[in-house]
Amino acid sequence: MTTGSIIGTLLVAVVAFTSISPQLGGSPTKADKEKYAQSGHYQDGKFVNLLPTRELTGGSTVGVMWDFLFDKDKRADPPGPLPLQPLDSASIVRKTPDQLRVTWFGHSASLVELAGKNILLDPMLSIEMGPVSWATPNRYNPTLAIRPEQLPAIDAIIISHDHYDHLDYQTIKRIKDKVANFYVPLGIAPHLRRWGVAEARIHEMNWGDSARLGDIVVRCTPSRHFSGRGLTNRNSTLWSSWVLQAPTKRVFYTGDGGYGPHFASIGAAYGPFDIALVECGQYNPNWAEIHMMPEQSVQAARDVQARVMLPVHWGAFTEAPHAWDEPIERATAAAMRLHQPLTTPRLGETVTVDGRALPATAWWKEVQ
């Protein structure tokens, strides 16, 4: 075979695979697209940010990939598995209405227990990522603090955007029947429908929309990012941050995204927050407008008026060339300078926000 025919065959194979793999999700209907067009954030068939935002602020896509594959920091991956606290359904959820608890599973996957409800944020609870696992980063740990099958009944799953490290097909497939509600940005409903989630349990939301979950108001708020799961659906779904407002406690989750004035706006409208789960990791100067540097992450926590910041989006996968523990080292230093309280739980360790001392050990320094 000639080189051209080999490349052509590979392209046909890729297109065929992306057409049939359930990992890619579903496609919006005509009615879906008409709804998106009314959102105020949809132009020429794509969602857009509040501010002009470049996915690449320097270099090229090829150059970025080259750096990631061949010029990563020598400590891009940890020398061994990270310490974790094994959990099960009996120990993880206590449903204490007067108590706010957050359990971080690694990367951005977290369980929030608020006002008697169990709320899962971006539950990527698989060892492998995406439809082609050999081409995506490996999870640092061969096991998780809790397997999807061990989770108890969940009142709500909240998704920030449709990238594979946040919206995981395998996790959704395993737990969808025990989840009462899915709160997602515009465009993600077609993915969930294809994966067998009943339409009645999907609440697709635009920036500024709110919904009620018992005593909690769930608010979809802006972020500064991008989306897409395949070769042809870039920015076909919206990305968001999220506010959870209970009668006595408030939680903010940034999702992924670059720094911007939306954080101060969210803080002014809905803060102060008892705890903010803030993206902190998988950054690079070449994509500075779609991911925050750790110092910006801490500033974002200040902007939203977070009493405590929990750094997430690290501790599971290497998706950028920096050292695996650089995000938490830089965030810790910045938090000290800015007098921002920070909590640093181990994987699977629960943070109880009740005025007592929070987990704050530098456990990553012990990884060997």
Side-chain angles (χ1 to χ4, degrees), residues 118-284:
N118 314 322
I119 303 170
L120 268 175
L121 306 179
D122 285 350
M124 201 301 176
L125 298 176
S126 294
I127 301 300
E128 297 181 338
M129 184 196 304
V132 187
S133 59
W134 53 265
T136 51
N138 296 319
R139 186 179 283 272
Y140 299 153
N141 287 27
T143 59
L144 292 138
I146 192 167
R147 298 192 313 274
E149 294 83 0
Q150 293 176 295
L151 288 169
I154 298 298
D155 296 293
I157 279 180
I158 288 178
I159 301 296
S160 65
H161 63 295
D162 74 353
H163 287 158
Y164 291 106
D165 55 335
H166 295 261
L167 177 60
D168 178 50
Y169 164 70
Q170 293 294 343
T171 301
I172 299 299
K173 179 181 175 181
R174 287 176 168 85
I175 67 175
K176 61 184 176 65
D177 293 332
K178 64 173 72 176
V179 180
N181 299 278
F182 290 79
Y183 297 95
V184 301
L186 292 172
I188 291 183
H191 297 330
L192 298 178
R193 291 196 300 254
R194 184 179 181 187
W195 299 340
V197 178
E199 184 79 43
R201 289 187 285 146
I202 304 171
H203 309 276
E204 203 175 47
M205 300 169 69
N206 187 21
W207 295 337
D209 287 350
S210 63
R212 184 164 286 278
L213 176 68
D215 291 332
I216 301 169
V217 177
V218 179
R219 297 186 184 275
C220 182
T221 47
S223 68
R224 191 181 184 191
H225 201 47
F226 71 108
S227 67
R229 294 175 74 84
L231 299 176
T232 60
N233 63 355
R234 196 72 151 190
N235 296 335
S236 61
T237 65
L238 189 60
W239 43 91
S240 65
S241 58
W242 293 89
V243 169
L244 301 175
Q245 291 178 275
T248 61
K249 302 286 185 182
R250 297 188 180 194
V251 178
F252 178 65
Y253 171 44
T254 63
D256 279 8
Y259 183 75
H262 57 287
F263 290 120
S265 298
I266 291 167
Y270 308 117
F273 293 95
D274 296 276
I275 190 168
L277 292 83
V278 182
E279 178 212 55
C280 183
Q282 321 319 316
Y283 50 80
N284 187 277

Side-chain angles (χ1 to χ4, degrees), residues 297-336:
S297 299
V298 176
Q299 185 58 55
R302 302 292 291 167
D303 291 352
V304 300
Q305 304 174 43
R307 296 189 177 106
V308 177
M309 171 184 167
L310 171 57
V312 299
H313 208 245
W314 75 286
F317 303 100
T318 294
E319 298 179 285
H322 59 68
W324 77 273
D325 56 353
E326 182 185 290
I328 194 62
E329 286 283 344
R330 289 175 59 174
T332 300
M336 291 182 66

